[in-house]
Amino acid sequence: MTTISDIGTPAPGPAPTPIPAEARSDHRGSWIPTWGMITTRFMELRRRRGLMIALIAVNIGIPVVFLAVRLISHAVDPKSYGPAGGYGIFQILVLGFMYVFGFIVAAVVGCTAGSVDLTEGMFRHLVITGRSRMALYLARIPAGLAIVIAMVAVGYTIVCAVCVFAAPTQLNYDGINVPQGLSRPALDSWAAAHADEVICNFNYDGPNPPPNVPCGNGQTSGPPPGATVKTPHGLVTVPTTFTQAQIRAFAVTMANQSYADYSATFLVPSTTLMVDVGLWIALEATIGFIVGLGLASLIGQRTVPVILLVVLELILTPIFSRNVISHLLNVERGIVGVAMLHIEPGRLPTPFSGGGPGGGGGGGLGRLALIPESTLTSSLVIVGWIVFWTAIGAWRMMTRDA
């Protein structure tokens, strides 16, 4: 009789040694966030509809509406409404809106990311998973920046496209059409040939009142001949007559005063300028997000950090960037908004300067009013803020009671 052995019986040999739980591969204690942690944080922020709507409305919606209105108005009545794009519109949208409100909205996203676990009661559940608290905190940075920078990039790309493709064909400076890119002697020659227009429209700061020339619609450029007027330089009597040579010389003087501003005014922003300004705005949004994230993690809520950062951006930065307080000068230099103004690319007017194209604030003239600070110091201040608030936020995350 043939006997068949049980094929399910293991072959004789030494029994396998069990691997202790401590020796198993487990990366939950690593401080480096995994891709899964980052995507989870990304989805948590993306699902907050109110936050996403606000982010889209500010970075994309408002610039699109502004440009659409200008495009439609110019198409319907081009004589009354100027072109929708150009260098001046680029300045208005980038410096007057996207730079300031991009920081604020990025800060709101950062404050939300830094406080959402506490406000929704999920912090304890995250801790008991055994994941490193450092990794849990660091995962929020790439997740949040992926949303913020993407929105800023889309809005900025739309602005640049319209400003280039819908730009005016003639340079309008101080209300009159001027050839673009003239040298100083060439601008002087042009001003002498268009003396009345220059005297009526260009800005002037000098000891003598301008000649009385006709400006259209029954208006004249200066006080009547023979009148005595008070100027910042004292009382001056207006001559009864001006020769054509004197009028042309006065126009040349006004053109010389405006040359620095004129030379920084263009029909369209250059490609280099658009790239540099785009990176500058992205850096501002990154700072807003990281500072908001660290501050919200430190305080443990969203509302107060948002208010503090709005005050920093809209009140403290404009004040401290232009008013030297002798005993607090180094403190003023240590404000990140002031440092960002000192590394602004190109020759654009600085935000909060109140300048504009052709208005005496262009060509970087607004930067002359900033408190003194070197580029190296500004760069160190920016890096310091990013590192400090990242460290503070991570420290509070690691020491908070679950």
Side-chain angles (χ1 to χ4, degrees):
M1 182 175 66
T2 303
T3 303
I4 301 175
S5 61
D6 187 358
I7 61 175
T9 304
T17 304
I19 301 176
E22 295 79 10
R24 297 172 186 169
S25 178
D26 188 355
H27 299 286
R28 287 183 298 174
S30 174
W31 63 272
I32 302 176
T34 63
W35 179 251
M37 296 169 66
I38 295 173
T39 55
T40 299
R41 291 297 174 188
F42 178 87
M43 293 300 296
E44 287 177 353
L45 290 173
R46 192 177 66 83
R47 289 173 181 171
R48 302 182 72 87
R49 294 183 180 178
L51 183 64
M52 292 298 101
I53 291 174
L55 189 62
I56 294 172
V58 172
N59 287 306
I60 301 175
I62 296 178
V64 167
V65 171
F66 176 84
L67 293 171
V69 170
R70 289 190 60 88
L71 285 168
I72 295 172
S73 300
H74 181 68
V76 172
D77 189 1
K79 293 183 178 180
S80 301
Y81 301 96
Y87 186 75
I89 301 301
F90 178 78
Q91 288 187 8
I92 292 171
L93 284 176
V94 169
L95 303 179
F97 183 80
M98 297 193 72
Y99 174 84
V100 176
F101 290 96
F103 174 91
I104 293 174
V105 176
V108 172
V109 177
C111 292
T112 302
S115 61
V116 63
D117 295 333
L118 292 172
T119 56
E120 295 186 355
M122 295 298 296
F123 182 71
R124 178 176 298 178
H125 298 281
L126 291 174
V127 172
I128 63 177
T129 62
R131 292 288 184 185
S132 166
R133 295 193 183 190
M134 175 70 79
L136 290 172
Y137 182 84
L138 295 180
R140 304 176 186 187
I141 297 178
L145 289 179
I147 295 174
V148 170
I149 300 301
M151 296 296 180
V152 171
V154 171
Y156 182 71
T157 301
I158 293 173
V159 169
C160 291
V162 174
C163 288
V164 170
F165 294 107
T169 57
Q170 290 183 316
L171 178 63
N172 187 280
Y173 178 80
D174 271 352
I176 57 177
N177 291 326
V178 183
Q180 178 179 298
L182 296 178
S183 64
R184 187 184 294 271
L187 182 63
D188 290 346
S189 299
W190 180 89
H194 300 78
D196 288 359
E197 293 180 86
V198 170
I199 292 173
C200 289
N201 293 278
F202 275 29
N203 292 318
Y204 174 68
D205 179 22
N208 299 316
N212 193 278
V213 298
C215 297
N217 297 324
Q219 302 294 320
T220 57
S221 60
T228 300
V229 296
K230 184 178 181 180
T231 69
H233 304 275
L235 293 176
V236 176
T237 301
V238 180
T240 55
T241 59
F242 284 92
T243 65
Q244 287 300 315
Q246 289 175 320
I247 292 175
R248 289 194 295 269
F250 201 95
V252 169
T253 300
M254 296 178 70
N256 273 314
Q257 286 188 354
S258 300
Y259 183 76
D261 189 22
Y262 158 80
S263 63
T265 306
F266 308 95
L267 289 174
V268 296
S270 66
T271 302
T272 302
L273 179 64
M274 288 188 289
V275 171
D276 291 344
V277 172
L279 295 175
W280 182 62
I281 292 178
L283 176 59
E284 176 77 353
T286 300
I287 294 171
F289 174 82
I290 290 179
V291 175
L293 179 66
L295 189 58
S297 178
L298 177 66
I299 297 178
Q301 59 161 295
R302 182 176 68 170
T303 304
V304 173
V306 169
I307 294 174
L308 292 177
L309 291 178
V310 170
V311 171
L312 172 68
E313 182 71 2
L314 297 182
I315 299 177
L316 297 183
T317 297
I319 293 175
F320 289 145
S321 64
R322 300 183 178 279
N323 298 280
V324 176
I325 304 174
S326 58
H327 299 293
L328 297 177
L329 182 57
N330 289 330
V331 175
E332 294 179 287
R333 289 171 174 163
I335 295 177
V336 69
V338 177
M340 284 295 294
L341 296 179
H342 278 279
I343 66 167
E344 180 187 11
R347 299 178 62 188
L348 296 173
T350 58
F352 316 114
S353 66
L365 297 181
R367 198 173 306 179
L368 297 177
L370 295 176
I371 65 172
E373 185 172 14
S374 67
T375 302
L376 176 60
T377 302
S378 301
S379 302
L380 293 176
V381 168
I382 293 168
V383 173
W385 272 68
I386 293 175
V387 172
F388 174 80
W389 285 108
T390 300
I392 286 294
W395 168 81
R396 190 69 185 96
M397 181 84 168
M398 297 174 66
T399 57
R400 177 174 281 116
D401 294 333

